[in-house]
Amino acid sequence: MFKRQSLMEALASKRGNGRVKIITGLRRSGKSFLLKEIYIPFLLKEGVRKENVILLELDDLRNAPLRNPIKLVGKILSSIEKGSLNHVFVDEIQLSRDIENPDAPGDVITFVDACNSLIKHPEIDLYVTGSNSRMLSSDILTRFRDRGDEIHVGPLTFSEMLEEKEGSVDALWNDYLLYGGLPMAVNEKTPRGKADYLTTVLHETYLHDILERNAFPSEQGLSSLGRLLATTTGSLNSVEKIANTLSSAYKEKFQWAKVKGFIEAFKDSFLIEEVERYDLVGRRNIESPHKFYFTDNGLMNAFSEFSHFEPQQALECTLYNHLRAAGYRVEVGAVGIRKMENGIRTMHTREIDFIASKYLSKLYIQVVLSLRDIDKENQEKASLKAIHDSNAKLVLVGEPISPYLDQEGILTMSVTDFLKKGCCI
């Protein structure tokens, strides 16, 4: 059983704080498992009585009436024990439907209203899960009015997988790059089993959910976009560029608005994240182009049916998701390098793969599959040397290498060593 220790500790730290604990994340990433198999047993071990644990799963048809937020509140209030702290869990809260207030026509009641009503009762410690990021849009966050805490659950990180899976680090690493960290994929015994599971869940769960929520006419456009993003992961992209590429490849006009809608739907479902660029010279975010990273390597590769595996893309995705799971804000960096060419001073823009920020600390990171010669090493370090501040600078290599610190203060080490250290350098 995967322990998900950091997530469990995050939940435990917010226990009984009077706010709604909102557990979000990709479907099949283990949100329900975290609650039912890890956190609730922890509460019972801590002395909480079974009678004071209430779990309502809205994706269970027996609970379909509770998708009405008024009925949901009524059910919970009738189930709690007065005079005790009751830990209430509502799984898949996004299935709750907006309804018209029966006593005030035109007034809409949502799950946010239900949650805010429930936490007014001191006997209730409320936890909800959801698989759609729209439930945390800026509008909804405003309506929570600082009464909600988000805990985001992603697929297993490589370090989490290492804690539980037997086998050589190299074999597990190669498996992770190709098949990712969805728990059920990790637990499949064979490569064929992993690939079949990921292909099936991609189409029958993720794309099906997107079609159902957004009323897109067919899966074809979504699949086309997914394949393109899978083959260009880690490359600079814009909606306009993507629309033009799809239109050219499929001999069909992909309008800007249509592609933008598809991308937003992928983001809402936590399939991808859009990463902004940051200009280190101008100290500002660059509006376009951006990069897109899949939240799971296995789903990224499933879009191309595992026929176009690119190790560099998988390496970057793995590191990006690890940094996000560790609580970092991640951006792509752009830095100017001055050169003299034919007696003329020129400025060239070079890329920093990742700028990872947390609190007052910052990491500048370059990611490379291999450092086989001095020219490649100098090329990777050139961007880092152009940054003139005291924050940590790293070159992470996708093959075994002994860590070393050069005279410029740049640390070179293997990606797997970095991941196993939990970002501590």
Side-chain angles (χ1 to χ4, degrees), residues 362-409:
K362 197 172 278 187
L363 304 176
Y364 299 111
I365 302 173
Q366 294 289 77
V367 189
V368 60
L369 274 175
S370 174
L371 284 182
R372 297 293 174 90
D373 56 61
I374 192 65
D375 288 339
K376 182 63 175 174
E377 182 173 355
N378 289 338
Q379 177 185 333
E380 292 300 324
K381 289 184 176 181
S383 300
L384 298 176
K385 290 178 180 179
I387 303 171
H388 303 294
D389 65 33
S390 59
N391 291 299
K393 303 173 181 67
L394 299 92
V395 176
L396 300 181
V397 187
E399 62 184 9
I401 186 172
S402 297
Y404 64 92
L405 190 69
D406 69 13
Q407 293 180 341
E408 303 282 345

